[in-house]
């Protein structure tokens, strides 16, 4: 349901795939988003910041994703996280 990546037998650099899966778990388990109404992409968010994108969103990364997308900030960039049907989020 969380669309986590799997490690493949004989895969090179397994740590990259494992770290991606752990980051996704960190963001989606016990989901708490920073906002669902802030429309301006924050200039320097903390690692792990989560936002549900509202109508009228702006910013280099946010404007590329649809309304309702869940974006997670990590290591200087934004990643769109998959949202499974029935997922419940607490809005801080």
């Amino acid at each position: 349901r969380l669309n986590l990546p799997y490690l493949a037998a004989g895969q090179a650099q397994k740590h990259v795939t494992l770290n991606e899966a752990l980051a996704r778990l960190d963001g989606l388990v016990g989901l708490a988003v920073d906002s669902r109404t802030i429309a301006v992409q924050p200039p320097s968010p903390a690692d792990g910041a989560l936002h549900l994108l509202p109508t009228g969103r702006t910013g280099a990364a946010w404007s590329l994703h649809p309304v309702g997308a869940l974006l997670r900030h990590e290591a200087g960039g934004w990643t769109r996280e998959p949202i499974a049907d029935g997922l419940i989020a607490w809005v801080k």
Side-chain angles (χ1 to χ4, degrees), residues 47-83:
D47 279 349
L50 288 161
H51 290 268
L52 285 169
L53 300 185
T55 301
R57 71 231 167 271
T58 62
W62 283 19
S63 61
L64 301 175
H65 299 280
V67 170
L70 175 65
L71 265 59
R72 181 175 195 276
H73 188 267
E74 186 74 37
W78 292 94
T79 303
R80 184 174 173 188
E81 298 294 346
I83 300 176

Side-chain angles (χ1 to χ4, degrees), residues 7-92:
L7 296 176
Q11 175 181 338
Q13 298 199 14
K14 289 181 169 118
H15 65 283
V16 174
T17 303
L18 178 61
N19 288 340
E20 178 186 339
L22 292 174
R24 195 170 292 168
L25 278 173
D26 179 53
L28 294 174
V29 175
L31 181 59
V33 298
D34 295 297
S35 174
R36 64 182 178 116
T37 58
I38 292 174
V40 178
Q41 180 180 318
S44 53
D47 279 349
L50 288 161
H51 290 268
L52 285 169
L53 300 185
T55 301
R57 71 231 167 271
T58 62
W62 283 19
S63 61
L64 301 175
H65 299 280
V67 170
L70 175 65
L71 265 59
R72 181 175 195 276
H73 188 267
E74 186 74 37
W78 292 94
T79 303
R80 184 174 173 188
E81 298 294 346
I83 300 176
D85 289 341
L87 187 63
I88 298 172
W90 177 64
V91 180
K92 296 179 186 178

